[in-house]
Amino acid sequence: QMVLEESGGGLVRTGGSLRLSCAASGRTSTMYAMGWFRQAPGKTREFVSAITWNGGATEYLESVKGRFTISNAPNTLYLQMNALKPEDTAVYSCAAIAYNAAGLDLRHALDYDFWGQGTQVTVLS
């Protein structure tokens, strides 16, 4: 079992920055990857970014490339968000894949085993 808890959301103006954190606790020793997803009101959940835990390989949603940076530290996932836009407004959730397995796709929410509760990010125009 793994527990994920996000923090760092808030209200910023266009062009501002926020840093999201996700603290992982429990059975984290075998963790393969973690990611960030977001869901805006009336929209489906969307992949934002992911990182493999040991190799550090990263993936990004095209629209956040160059603005968002994912990183990790022992049992903690970060998302540095710069140059924020109103369309980035959403609830951001972190998620973890507990074990490596064939066929995993870091962009697919269904491949993730554990989820945090989410943190609200609001970007004012």
Side-chain angles (χ1 to χ4, degrees):
Q1 186 72 10
M2 195 183 303
V3 177
L4 306 177
E5 185 172 1
E6 302 95 338
S7 61
L11 181 71
V12 295
R13 296 197 176 276
T14 298
S17 298
L18 284 173
R19 189 192 196 202
L20 304 184
S21 299
C22 174
S25 60
R27 299 189 66 176
T28 61
S29 60
T30 60
M31 184 158 54
Y32 170 64
M34 291 189 74
W36 290 99
F37 290 77
R38 67 187 182 187
Q39 187 165 17
K43 295 187 177 181
T44 58
R45 184 167 52 191
E46 177 180 54
F47 167 81
V48 176
S49 184
I51 186 168
T52 56
W53 209 244
N54 292 320
T58 58
E59 296 189 30
Y60 292 94
L61 176 68
E62 190 64 33
S63 63
V64 307
K65 283 183 180 178
R67 300 189 297 121
F68 291 11
T69 303
I70 193 170
S71 62
N72 64 330
N75 293 335
T76 306
L77 177 71
Y78 300 102
L79 186 68
Q80 177 66 43
M81 305 186 295
N82 298 327
L84 283 161
K85 305 175 181 180
E87 51 263 45
D88 295 318
T89 295
V91 174
Y92 285 70
S93 299
C94 64
I97 298 176
Y99 300 96
N100 192 4
L104 287 173
D105 186 335
L106 298 187
R107 294 173 180 264
H108 286 180
L110 292 179
D111 281 352
Y112 287 78
D113 303 298
F114 300 101
W115 290 82
Q117 292 298 309
T119 184
Q120 176 71 45
V121 172
T122 302
V123 185
L124 300 177
S125 58

